[in-house]
Amino acid sequence: MVTEKDVQHIAELADVGVSSGELGTFTHQFNAIIEYFDILDRVEGKCPVTRDLFNILREDEIEPSLPQEEVLRNAPAKEDGFIKAPRVM
Amino acid sequence: MSGEIAFNPDDKYNAFLTTCRKAPHGTGKLAGVAVAVKDNISTLNIETTCASKILKGYIPPYDAHAVGLLKSEGAAIVGKTNMDEFGMGTTTENSGFGPTLNPCDTTRVPGGSSGGSAAAVAAGMVRMALGTDTGGSIRCPAAFCGIVGLKPSYGRVSRYGLIAYSNSLEQIGPMGKTVTDVSTLMGVIAGYDRHDTSSLNKPYNHTPKADIKGLRIGIPQEYFGKGVDSQVAAVVKKAIGRLEELGATTVPCSIPSMEYALAAYYVTCTCEASSNLARFDGVRYGPAADTKKSWHDAYQEVRSAAFGPEVRRRIMLGTFALSSGYYGKYYAKAQIARENIKADFNRIFADVDVIAGPTMPTIAFKLKEKSDPLSMYLADILTVPANLAGIPAISVPCGKSEGMPVGLQIMGRMFDDERVVDVAYAYEQAVN
């Protein structure tokens, strides 16, 4: 059982934002879904630790890359050939 | 001859998000064939949004590998099709740009998430289309709209340029009116691509064959049990009877691990989504983040405004399931369930060549019928097992219930895509 406070906290961790108007509905739906997920408590068996997997390696070859203007084309805010991002400090 | 085709469809079903009025084409196996591409597959210089407001205006600087292959065989990319936002849904109602309507009955959904691709083919606007299938997103709309759709074995079609939602489950695949068209399209898009680490060198060079004499078909009881509409089940059983008339033998079987399949699927895909969709923050693309605010406030503002509720719900579910203290309860258990499903399929495929059942438990829903998320998730029960196991599965139209199309689903052994195509072809040839 998760509370509205839990859903608010998860929304903040995931940076998706939940408005006070949506909180009740989201919490209700969230509980119905994770209650359904509880069926997994009954699953038995072991997750295989090893598999027939191997690393696929290749030579580090230099290839043409996209020109700067192509890379910046979709960025909504840019300055002096850089992408502008919000403050992190 | 290379050239250009004009494409001005009367799109009354809202199948397309973008149309290319003049679409260039080259020479090759698909010379001049109009192909529609689902909007989560990158197309050079053609807007690609995943039906999300967070990618409105995004112009990819490169083609997905599958799109490059289409072009190299002469196809004309005529437009980008509507879908549930980022592929999250079973109805195409979760599009940020309005729902697609089912051409067979416009009061009903086309299924999803590749609903635009299915509707475009069903309405005759294009001969074939690319879709993607994470938990049934090609097969469900194919069944609901009365067309053919193949989810290839995991690894046969490159995912390079597919905007990722759930990497371990999703595949790009072909959709068309006929099995032959689907097979032709599969032949063009399958094969090794070094840009996708999960790509395998298993090209598809196959012409469908209708001979299924001696074929052994597993009929899992779970595909005709609780939750499956009795009329849909009856239509599918009749179709399987047709396959028996063609010389196949049916073998009853059971997939006990299916009880956990849906929960395992939704835990896995929401966990992967919570990580994959972290990149959409309004910095490199999308609506501008307010660079004067702190990053946390800025991202939250962009993402809450531009992601739809289902996308936010799945990101939150995945964040919760992966959070400290819950990993063992949800994600780890889901992976065990996934192994058990693979083991069940392996056991059954030791005795049978293919498994058959309905693609969807019901006919297409009415618009807005599935407003509760959990009830929508439950509709995926018959399609998710193939994604969890990575095996190929095709949906082929097999009749009608209440006037709406019903899909027959054929699942095969890993990398046995050719055989599921053959079985679908044998059925199609027998009834047409």
Side-chain angles (χ1 to χ4, degrees), chain B residues 151-167:
Chain B
K151 182 204 90 73
S153 297
Y154 187 81
R156 281 194 86 162
V157 179
S158 167
R159 291 182 294 108
Y160 179 69
L162 161 61
I163 298 174
Y165 145 40
S166 184
N167 322 49

Side-chain angles (χ1 to χ4, degrees), chain B residues 100-430:
Chain B
T100 295
L101 308 179
N102 191 320
C104 305
D105 175 351
T106 53
T107 67
R108 292 180 189 270
V109 302
S113 64
S114 313
S117 287
V121 172
M125 290 188 272
V126 290
R127 205 174 107 193
M128 38 180 98
L130 290 186
T132 64
D133 193 312
T134 309
S137 288
I138 285 174
R139 290 161 287 157
C140 160
F144 282 2
C145 294
I147 66 158
V148 184
L150 170 70
K151 182 204 90 73
S153 297
Y154 187 81
R156 281 194 86 162
V157 179
S158 167
R159 291 182 294 108
Y160 179 69
L162 161 61
I163 298 174
Y165 145 40
S166 184
N167 322 49
S168 79
L169 297 160
E170 62 203 3
Q171 274 287 283
I172 295 174
M175 305 172 83
K177 264 253 164 78
T178 67
V179 177
T180 303
D181 277 354
V182 162
S183 182
T184 303
L185 192 49
M186 177 65 181
V188 171
I189 62 174
Y192 178 68
D193 170 25
R194 66 192 199 88
H195 291 115
D196 172 3
T197 51
S198 63
S199 172
L200 297 166
N201 188 15
K202 298 209 181 278
Y204 176 99
N205 300 306
H206 183 65
T207 307
K209 294 178 196 69
D211 181 10
I212 57 161
K213 272 194 197 74
L215 185 88
R216 289 172 66 78
I217 305 176
I219 312 293
Q221 63 187 51
E222 293 80 4
Y223 276 71
F224 295 91
K226 198 174 136 234
V228 180
D229 178 80
S230 59
Q231 282 189 51
V232 167
V235 170
V236 171
K237 276 183 180 157
K238 201 175 153 209
I240 292 168
R242 240 5 234 276
L243 295 174
E244 288 180 304
E245 287 164 26
L246 296 171
T249 311
T250 56
V251 183
C253 63
S254 171
I255 311 174
S257 57
M258 254 186 83
E259 191 183 353
Y260 310 108
L262 201 75
Y265 171 79
Y266 273 95
V267 167
T268 304
C269 75
T270 56
C271 286
E272 292 185 19
S274 71
S275 163
N276 273 323
L277 273 66
R279 73 189 66 166
F280 301 103
D281 53 17
V283 174
R284 285 155 300 165
Y285 28 71
D290 186 346
T291 52
K292 294 199 174 57
K293 288 189 171 156
S294 79
W295 64 271
H296 186 69
D297 291 340
Y299 293 171
Q300 193 144 300
E301 196 172 270
V302 167
R303 286 157 65 87
S304 63
F307 279 145
E310 182 60 24
V311 171
R312 286 155 69 220
R313 181 159 37 245
R314 291 199 195 188
I315 292 172
M316 286 196 284
L317 281 165
T319 304
F320 169 73
L322 288 174
S323 61
S324 172
Y326 290 106
Y327 174 87
K329 180 176 164 64
Y330 296 112
Y331 190 79
K333 284 281 190 179
Q335 302 323 301
I336 296 171
R338 195 169 177 178
E339 286 303 317
N340 293 347
I341 287 158
K342 281 184 200 165
D344 272 348
F345 275 120
N346 285 338
R347 175 180 50 76
I348 297 167
F349 282 129
D351 184 41
V352 303
D353 301 304
V354 295
I355 294 173
T359 305
M360 295 298 290
T362 64
I363 56 166
F365 324 124
K366 289 275 186 186
L367 287 156
K368 297 188 178 149
E369 186 183 327
K370 297 279 174 191
S371 53
D372 168 59
L374 183 58
S375 77
M376 190 180 74
Y377 297 174
L378 292 170
D380 299 340
I381 182 63
L382 305 181
T383 47
V384 298
N387 300 81
L388 288 165
I391 59 174
I394 197 167
S395 180
V396 62
C398 72
K400 289 196 168 169
S401 170
E402 295 171 55
M404 291 301 291
V406 173
L408 166 67
Q409 182 175 207
I410 315 282
M411 292 173 275
R413 295 186 187 106
M414 195 69 187
F415 309 130
D416 216 359
D417 305 60
E418 289 81 353
R419 197 189 303 251
V420 301
V421 166
D422 283 349
V423 179
Y425 183 67
Y427 178 79
E428 182 193 60
Q429 295 303 303

